[in-house]
Amino acid sequence: MKKLNKSLFLWISVFAMMVSCGGKDQEADSEQEVKEAVAVEAQPVEKQIFPQIIRYTANVEAWEQAYITGQTGVRIDEIKVEEGERVKRGQLLVTMNAAQLNQARSQMELASREVERLDTLVKIGSVSGQQFDQAMTEYQNALTNYENLAENTRLTANFDGVITKKYFFDGEMFTPSAEAPAILVMMQIEPIKITINVGEGFYNQVKKGMKATVRTDVYPEEEFSGQVDRKSPTIDRNSRTFRIEIRIENEERQLRPGMFARVSLNLGEIEGIYIPATAVVNQPGTTDQFVFVKEGDRVRRIAVETGNRYQDLIRVVSGLEAGKTIITEGIGKLNEGTLVRVVNANAQVE
């Protein structure tokens, strides 16, 4: 009986030691896993409502532009304006040599008198109607030639604007070239316009009269107000975009053609999944994007498609659902299936 009790005691002692050692091994394994896990920050994915703002870069353009030209091969008598000068619609800008104009006037007046003479003779039956018709045709041709030369001899402003370029000087023969395509160039800068190409997905949301805001590097602290003035009725099948023109009144004439501008259009509020832009990883060498989603103690890589940005957030169009938990910091150390431990803002370990 004593031998039995002694054997039982020995067996219990050995079992206790085995259990004790097993527990220590499990604790050691757990501690090792904690050390190997990558410390990351994470947050739950939720649907949010934000303004839908699309942004584009473009150049400021003149509302209208005109090349002031005369008849090729004719001498310039006088250019009456200089670069930077403001002009009114119909104002005389340039006078060309009038020799051809004077000759055309004489031919037109001669043809007019011939028509009057034949008109009288037709009435009394001295000449045929065919002769009168021929004289009338010659007069019409002479009149057209005179009017064309008159338009190309006294060159006037097409609209209210400013002279932006002067290529020729008094006394020079006007011969246009690639370097000097016109005598003068004038632009209308009140208002001005900005042309942008918008993705076809926004076609139904962009309306004529919609407000736009414009910022420039020249006036970094100022915001200029404009509105959609024109919208293309078609979509370019190659770029999948449509063209719109933003009109800005520019009463103070601060904006000038050629300036670099940033345009923002507010398309109203939209509900969607917005996450920190830093959580989205761009696959090198491709347009593919993905995020790391926490599942248990490990992460899984999920492909996503993104849309517009709002401040530091970016909208996820597809690939991610509300309720998931995404990794926002520590992404550079992660791969598919990496073991992670989430450290929240107050440094507590999850």
Side-chain angles (χ1 to χ4, degrees):
M1 186 66 177
K2 289 182 179 180
K3 289 182 178 181
L4 181 61
N5 289 339
K6 186 176 181 180
S7 297
L8 180 60
F9 175 77
L10 182 60
W11 184 86
I12 293 173
S13 298
V14 171
F15 179 77
M17 290 176 64
M18 291 176 62
V19 171
S20 176
C21 290
K24 288 180 180 179
D25 289 342
Q26 289 179 357
E27 290 177 4
D29 291 343
S30 179
E31 290 177 2
Q32 183 65 27
E33 285 186 354
V34 170
K35 290 179 181 179
E36 291 177 354
V38 177
V40 296
E41 292 186 12
Q43 72 175 47
V45 176
E46 300 175 346
K47 283 191 175 182
Q48 303 177 72
I49 297 177
F50 286 113
Q52 188 179 22
I53 299 174
I54 55 176
R55 295 180 174 87
Y56 295 88
T57 58
N59 295 314
V60 176
E61 305 172 40
W63 185 252
E64 288 189 68
Q65 176 173 293
Y67 289 85
I68 307 302
T69 63
Q71 188 171 357
T72 300
V74 176
R75 192 174 303 280
I76 300 170
D77 276 354
E78 182 182 7
I79 300 176
K80 298 180 177 293
V81 290
E82 298 294 335
E83 283 188 18
E85 187 172 336
R86 296 184 60 77
V87 297
K88 294 289 186 181
R89 179 185 179 89
Q91 179 179 331
L92 181 62
L93 305 179
V94 182
T95 55
M96 308 292 288
N97 184 275
Q100 293 186 38
L101 177 65
N102 294 334
Q103 182 180 357
R105 181 188 294 111
S106 297
Q107 292 175 347
M108 183 265 295
E109 292 173 348
L110 180 63
S112 176
R113 289 194 294 269
E114 180 65 8
V115 168
E116 293 177 358
R117 186 183 72 83
L118 291 177
D119 182 51
T120 301
L121 294 177
V122 165
K123 290 177 180 178
I124 62 176
S126 298
V127 296
S128 67
Q130 183 179 1
Q131 288 178 284
F132 176 80
D133 291 342
Q134 183 177 352
M136 178 59 75
T137 299
E138 291 176 356
Y139 167 71
Q140 291 292 344
N141 291 337
L143 177 61
T144 299
N145 183 49
Y146 170 74
E147 291 175 341
N148 180 61
L149 286 171
E151 184 178 345
N152 284 277
T153 300
R154 293 175 60 82
L155 310 181
T156 59
N158 301 51
F159 44 77
D160 294 352
V162 60
I163 303 300
T164 59
K165 194 67 178 178
K166 179 179 177 180
Y167 287 104
F168 289 85
F169 296 92
D170 295 355
E172 289 187 312
M173 193 73 71
F174 175 58
T175 304
S177 64
E179 293 76 21
I183 301 172
L184 301 169
V185 178
M186 64 175 295
M187 295 181 179
Q188 184 178 8
I189 60 174
E190 298 175 57
I192 56 89
K193 67 182 178 182
I194 296 176
T195 303
I196 58 176
N197 293 317
V198 181
E200 66 174 347
F202 299 112
Y203 191 83
N204 290 330
Q205 294 170 268
V206 176
K207 308 290 185 183
K208 182 175 180 179
M210 177 178 285
K211 301 299 181 184
T213 57
V214 176
R215 288 187 175 276
T216 65
D217 291 342
V218 179
Y219 305 104
E221 303 301 321
E222 293 192 53
E223 186 175 87
F224 301 90
S225 296
Q227 64 180 26
V228 177
D229 187 76
R230 297 188 182 105
K231 172 183 170 182
S232 173
T234 61
I235 294 174
D236 186 284
R237 65 180 180 180
N238 295 317
S239 64
R240 294 300 175 189
T241 61
F242 62 97
R243 177 167 294 191
I244 65 171
E245 288 183 3
I246 308 295
R247 175 187 175 112
I248 304 171
E249 295 306 323
N250 200 32
E251 295 175 350
E252 301 297 324
R253 299 193 295 277
Q254 291 175 277
L255 300 178
R256 298 302 174 100
M259 282 184 179
F260 178 76
R262 298 175 180 83
V263 181
S264 299
L265 290 172
N266 190 334
L267 304 182
E269 293 185 336
I270 186 172
E271 183 182 39
I273 293 176
Y274 286 82
I275 63 175
T278 54
V280 180
V281 181
N282 295 299
Q283 184 72 35
T286 71
T287 58
D288 296 339
Q289 296 177 309
F290 62 88
V291 296
F292 283 104
V293 173
K294 182 177 179 293
E295 293 184 351
D297 293 332
R298 299 184 181 275
V299 294
R300 185 163 64 93
R301 194 169 76 170
I302 295 180
V304 295
E305 180 183 353
T306 60
N308 61 297
R309 296 178 66 122
Y310 180 75
Q311 298 179 357
D312 296 331
L313 303 177
I314 190 167
R315 185 183 177 209
V316 177
V317 178
S318 65
L320 190 62
E321 300 176 354
K324 299 289 186 180
T325 298
I326 58 166
I327 308 302
T328 57
E329 295 292 340
I331 295 172
K333 300 178 181 179
L334 303 182
N335 289 303
E336 178 74 17
T338 299
L339 185 68
V340 296
R341 57 189 179 94
V342 177
V343 181
N344 57 19
N346 58 7
Q348 293 177 343
V349 178
E350 185 186 73

mmCIF file of all heavy atoms in Angstrom, residues 283-308:
data_model
loop_
_atom_site.group_PDB
_atom_site.id
_atom_site.type_symbol
_atom_site.label_atom_id
_atom_site.label_comp_id
_atom_site.label_asym_id
_atom_site.label_seq_id
_atom_site.Cartn_x
_atom_site.Cartn_y
_atom_site.Cartn_z
ATOM 1 N N GLN A 283 0.682 50.437 -56.817
ATOM 2 C CA GLN A 283 1.580 49.387 -57.273
ATOM 3 C C GLN A 283 2.597 49.969 -58.246
ATOM 4 O O GLN A 283 2.225 50.542 -59.266
ATOM 5 C CB GLN A 283 0.787 48.283 -57.969
ATOM 6 C CG GLN A 283 1.612 47.078 -58.395
ATOM 7 C CD GLN A 283 2.046 46.226 -57.210
ATOM 8 O OE1 GLN A 283 1.307 46.095 -56.247
ATOM 9 N NE2 GLN A 283 3.241 45.688 -57.293
ATOM 10 N N PRO A 284 3.895 49.900 -57.947
ATOM 11 C CA PRO A 284 4.915 50.499 -58.826
ATOM 12 C C PRO A 284 4.814 49.985 -60.253
ATOM 13 O O PRO A 284 4.646 48.791 -60.494
ATOM 14 C CB PRO A 284 6.238 50.059 -58.163
ATOM 15 C CG PRO A 284 5.888 49.803 -56.736
ATOM 16 C CD PRO A 284 4.486 49.254 -56.763
ATOM 17 N N GLY A 285 4.916 50.917 -61.193
ATOM 18 C CA GLY A 285 4.908 50.552 -62.602
ATOM 19 C C GLY A 285 3.547 50.280 -63.194
ATOM 20 O O GLY A 285 3.439 49.940 -64.371
ATOM 21 N N THR A 286 2.485 50.411 -62.386
ATOM 22 C CA THR A 286 1.117 50.164 -62.879
ATOM 23 C C THR A 286 0.193 51.239 -62.329
ATOM 24 O O THR A 286 0.596 52.104 -61.556
ATOM 25 C CB THR A 286 0.604 48.787 -62.436
ATOM 26 O OG1 THR A 286 0.342 48.825 -61.012
ATOM 27 C CG2 THR A 286 1.618 47.698 -62.725
ATOM 28 N N THR A 287 -1.057 51.152 -62.736
ATOM 29 C CA THR A 287 -2.078 52.054 -62.189
ATOM 30 C C THR A 287 -2.884 51.366 -61.094
ATOM 31 O O THR A 287 -3.861 51.930 -60.608
ATOM 32 C CB THR A 287 -3.034 52.512 -63.314
ATOM 33 O OG1 THR A 287 -3.632 51.364 -63.914
ATOM 34 C CG2 THR A 287 -2.278 53.308 -64.378
ATOM 35 N N ASP A 288 -2.468 50.156 -60.716
ATOM 36 C CA ASP A 288 -3.192 49.390 -59.698
ATOM 37 C C ASP A 288 -2.998 50.000 -58.313
ATOM 38 O O ASP A 288 -1.907 50.486 -57.979
ATOM 39 C CB ASP A 288 -2.719 47.940 -59.682
ATOM 40 C CG ASP A 288 -3.016 47.219 -60.988
ATOM 41 O OD1 ASP A 288 -3.901 47.693 -61.719
ATOM 42 O OD2 ASP A 288 -2.354 46.203 -61.268
ATOM 43 N N GLN A 289 -4.060 49.961 -57.509
ATOM 44 C CA GLN A 289 -4.018 50.456 -56.140
ATOM 45 C C GLN A 289 -4.597 49.402 -55.201
ATOM 46 O O GLN A 289 -5.460 48.622 -55.589
ATOM 47 C CB GLN A 289 -4.828 51.754 -56.014
ATOM 48 C CG GLN A 289 -4.272 52.915 -56.839
ATOM 49 C CD GLN A 289 -5.151 54.142 -56.728
ATOM 50 O OE1 GLN A 289 -6.360 54.082 -56.921
ATOM 51 N NE2 GLN A 289 -4.549 55.267 -56.394
ATOM 52 N N PHE A 290 -4.128 49.415 -53.950
ATOM 53 C CA PHE A 290 -4.658 48.471 -52.977
ATOM 54 C C PHE A 290 -4.525 49.031 -51.569
ATOM 55 O O PHE A 290 -3.802 50.011 -51.328
ATOM 56 C CB PHE A 290 -3.959 47.111 -53.080
ATOM 57 C CG PHE A 290 -2.475 47.151 -52.803
ATOM 58 C CD1 PHE A 290 -1.989 47.018 -51.507
ATOM 59 C CD2 PHE A 290 -1.564 47.318 -53.839
ATOM 60 C CE1 PHE A 290 -0.624 47.051 -51.250
ATOM 61 C CE2 PHE A 290 -0.196 47.357 -53.587
ATOM 62 C CZ PHE A 290 0.268 47.222 -52.282
ATOM 63 N N VAL A 291 -5.242 48.404 -50.637
ATOM 64 C CA VAL A 291 -5.150 48.739 -49.215
ATOM 65 C C VAL A 291 -4.930 47.445 -48.443
ATOM 66 O O VAL A 291 -5.196 46.345 -48.944
ATOM 67 C CB VAL A 291 -6.425 49.447 -48.704
ATOM 68 C CG1 VAL A 291 -6.623 50.775 -49.381
ATOM 69 C CG2 VAL A 291 -7.653 48.548 -48.879
ATOM 70 N N PHE A 292 -4.449 47.575 -47.196
ATOM 71 C CA PHE A 292 -4.300 46.417 -46.319
ATOM 72 C C PHE A 292 -5.470 46.399 -45.329
ATOM 73 O O PHE A 292 -5.714 47.397 -44.630
ATOM 74 C CB PHE A 292 -2.982 46.479 -45.555
ATOM 75 C CG PHE A 292 -1.788 46.094 -46.386
ATOM 76 C CD1 PHE A 292 -0.916 47.052 -46.869
ATOM 77 C CD2 PHE A 292 -1.549 44.757 -46.695
ATOM 78 C CE1 PHE A 292 0.176 46.695 -47.637
ATOM 79 C CE2 PHE A 292 -0.449 44.390 -47.469
ATOM 80 C CZ PHE A 292 0.414 45.362 -47.939
ATOM 81 N N VAL A 293 -6.187 45.310 -45.319
ATOM 82 C CA VAL A 293 -7.332 45.129 -44.426
ATOM 83 C C VAL A 293 -6.946 44.145 -43.328
ATOM 84 O O VAL A 293 -6.362 43.085 -43.597
ATOM 85 C CB VAL A 293 -8.556 44.616 -45.204
ATOM 86 C CG1 VAL A 293 -9.693 44.257 -44.251
ATOM 87 C CG2 VAL A 293 -9.018 45.653 -46.218
ATOM 88 N N LYS A 294 -7.266 44.484 -42.075
ATOM 89 C CA LYS A 294 -6.947 43.608 -40.945
ATOM 90 C C LYS A 294 -8.033 42.551 -40.794
ATOM 91 O O LYS A 294 -9.213 42.856 -40.684
ATOM 92 C CB LYS A 294 -6.842 44.435 -39.658
ATOM 93 C CG LYS A 294 -6.456 43.629 -38.421
ATOM 94 C CD LYS A 294 -6.300 44.549 -37.221
ATOM 95 C CE LYS A 294 -5.940 43.744 -35.975
ATOM 96 N NZ LYS A 294 -7.026 42.862 -35.542
ATOM 97 N N GLU A 295 -7.604 41.311 -40.797
ATOM 98 C CA GLU A 295 -8.501 40.181 -40.566
ATOM 99 C C GLU A 295 -7.872 39.314 -39.483
ATOM 100 O O GLU A 295 -6.871 38.628 -39.734
ATOM 101 C CB GLU A 295 -8.716 39.385 -41.848
ATOM 102 C CG GLU A 295 -9.480 40.163 -42.915
ATOM 103 C CD GLU A 295 -9.777 39.320 -44.139
ATOM 104 O OE1 GLU A 295 -9.250 38.197 -44.225
ATOM 105 O OE2 GLU A 295 -10.549 39.788 -44.999
ATOM 106 N N GLY A 296 -8.435 39.346 -38.280
ATOM 107 C CA GLY A 296 -7.823 38.665 -37.144
ATOM 108 C C GLY A 296 -6.545 39.374 -36.755
ATOM 109 O O GLY A 296 -6.520 40.602 -36.600
ATOM 110 N N ASP A 297 -5.457 38.613 -36.625
ATOM 111 C CA ASP A 297 -4.168 39.210 -36.282
ATOM 112 C C ASP A 297 -3.301 39.446 -37.505
ATOM 113 O O ASP A 297 -2.138 39.841 -37.369
ATOM 114 C CB ASP A 297 -3.420 38.293 -35.299
ATOM 115 C CG ASP A 297 -4.120 38.232 -33.944
ATOM 116 O OD1 ASP A 297 -4.792 39.229 -33.593
ATOM 117 O OD2 ASP A 297 -4.008 37.197 -33.270
ATOM 118 N N ARG A 298 -3.830 39.215 -38.685
ATOM 119 C CA ARG A 298 -3.039 39.363 -39.897
ATOM 120 C C ARG A 298 -3.733 40.314 -40.887
ATOM 121 O O ARG A 298 -4.879 40.712 -40.675
ATOM 122 C CB ARG A 298 -2.794 37.995 -40.539
ATOM 123 C CG ARG A 298 -2.017 37.056 -39.616
ATOM 124 C CD ARG A 298 -1.681 35.731 -40.267
ATOM 125 N NE ARG A 298 -0.972 34.872 -39.330
ATOM 126 C CZ ARG A 298 0.343 34.903 -39.121
ATOM 127 N NH1 ARG A 298 1.086 35.760 -39.821
ATOM 128 N NH2 ARG A 298 0.911 34.089 -38.251
ATOM 129 N N VAL A 299 -2.999 40.667 -41.939
ATOM 130 C CA VAL A 299 -3.548 41.603 -42.923
ATOM 131 C C VAL A 299 -3.703 40.910 -44.272
ATOM 132 O O VAL A 299 -2.968 39.968 -44.597
ATOM 133 C CB VAL A 299 -2.665 42.842 -43.091
ATOM 134 C CG1 VAL A 299 -2.648 43.652 -41.821
ATOM 135 C CG2 VAL A 299 -1.260 42.470 -43.526
ATOM 136 N N ARG A 300 -4.666 41.428 -45.036
ATOM 137 C CA ARG A 300 -4.889 40.937 -46.395
ATOM 138 C C ARG A 300 -4.897 42.124 -47.340
ATOM 139 O O ARG A 300 -5.447 43.188 -47.035
ATOM 140 C CB ARG A 300 -6.227 40.189 -46.471
ATOM 141 C CG ARG A 300 -6.468 39.540 -47.831
ATOM 142 C CD ARG A 300 -7.564 38.479 -47.730
ATOM 143 N NE ARG A 300 -8.842 39.061 -47.370
ATOM 144 C CZ ARG A 300 -9.766 39.461 -48.269
ATOM 145 N NH1 ARG A 300 -9.515 39.344 -49.563
ATOM 146 N NH2 ARG A 300 -10.915 39.946 -47.867
ATOM 147 N N ARG A 301 -4.273 41.957 -48.484
ATOM 148 C CA ARG A 301 -4.208 43.033 -49.474
ATOM 149 C C ARG A 301 -5.429 42.979 -50.375
ATOM 150 O O ARG A 301 -5.731 41.937 -50.954
ATOM 151 C CB ARG A 301 -2.930 42.900 -50.305
ATOM 152 C CG ARG A 301 -2.600 44.131 -51.110
ATOM 153 C CD ARG A 301 -1.227 44.055 -51.699
ATOM 154 N NE ARG A 301 -1.192 43.152 -52.858
ATOM 155 C CZ ARG A 301 -0.153 43.056 -53.680
ATOM 156 N NH1 ARG A 301 0.941 43.761 -53.438
ATOM 157 N NH2 ARG A 301 -0.192 42.235 -54.701
ATOM 158 N N ILE A 302 -6.135 44.129 -50.497
ATOM 159 C CA ILE A 302 -7.357 44.187 -51.303
ATOM 160 C C ILE A 302 -7.211 45.295 -52.352
ATOM 161 O O ILE A 302 -6.886 46.443 -52.021
ATOM 162 C CB ILE A 302 -8.588 44.467 -50.427
ATOM 163 C CG1 ILE A 302 -8.826 43.293 -49.467
ATOM 164 C CG2 ILE A 302 -9.823 44.723 -51.283
ATOM 165 C CD1 ILE A 302 -10.012 43.483 -48.567
ATOM 166 N N ALA A 303 -7.472 44.950 -53.616
ATOM 167 C CA ALA A 303 -7.413 45.930 -54.706
ATOM 168 C C ALA A 303 -8.598 46.883 -54.611
ATOM 169 O O ALA A 303 -9.726 46.472 -54.319
ATOM 170 C CB ALA A 303 -7.415 45.211 -56.052
ATOM 171 N N VAL A 304 -8.343 48.187 -54.857
ATOM 172 C CA VAL A 304 -9.396 49.202 -54.797
ATOM 173 C C VAL A 304 -9.303 50.119 -56.008
ATOM 174 O O VAL A 304 -8.267 50.216 -56.661
ATOM 175 C CB VAL A 304 -9.312 50.038 -53.500
ATOM 176 C CG1 VAL A 304 -9.566 49.181 -52.277
ATOM 177 C CG2 VAL A 304 -7.964 50.745 -53.399
ATOM 178 N N GLU A 305 -10.420 50.791 -56.256
ATOM 179 C CA GLU A 305 -10.461 51.849 -57.270
ATOM 180 C C GLU A 305 -10.848 53.131 -56.557
ATOM 181 O O GLU A 305 -11.830 53.153 -55.806
ATOM 182 C CB GLU A 305 -11.478 51.519 -58.357
ATOM 183 C CG GLU A 305 -11.577 52.575 -59.451
ATOM 184 C CD GLU A 305 -12.648 52.267 -60.480
ATOM 185 O OE1 GLU A 305 -13.219 51.158 -60.417
ATOM 186 O OE2 GLU A 305 -12.922 53.146 -61.320
ATOM 187 N N THR A 306 -10.085 54.186 -56.777
ATOM 188 C CA THR A 306 -10.322 55.437 -56.046
ATOM 189 C C THR A 306 -10.907 56.510 -56.963
ATOM 190 O O THR A 306 -10.799 56.439 -58.184
ATOM 191 C CB THR A 306 -9.026 55.953 -55.417
ATOM 192 O OG1 THR A 306 -8.054 56.188 -56.454
ATOM 193 C CG2 THR A 306 -8.480 54.939 -54.421
ATOM 194 N N GLY A 307 -11.515 57.513 -56.306
ATOM 195 C CA GLY A 307 -12.115 58.628 -57.032
ATOM 196 C C GLY A 307 -11.534 59.956 -56.585
ATOM 197 O O GLY A 307 -10.325 60.098 -56.410
ATOM 198 N N ASN A 308 -12.404 60.944 -56.367
ATOM 199 C CA ASN A 308 -11.949 62.282 -56.021
ATOM 200 C C ASN A 308 -11.455 62.353 -54.582
ATOM 201 O O ASN A 308 -11.766 61.514 -53.737
ATOM 202 C CB ASN A 308 -13.087 63.290 -56.227
ATOM 203 C CG ASN A 308 -14.286 62.992 -55.360
ATOM 204 O OD1 ASN A 308 -14.902 61.945 -55.502
ATOM 205 N ND2 ASN A 308 -14.617 63.894 -54.455
#
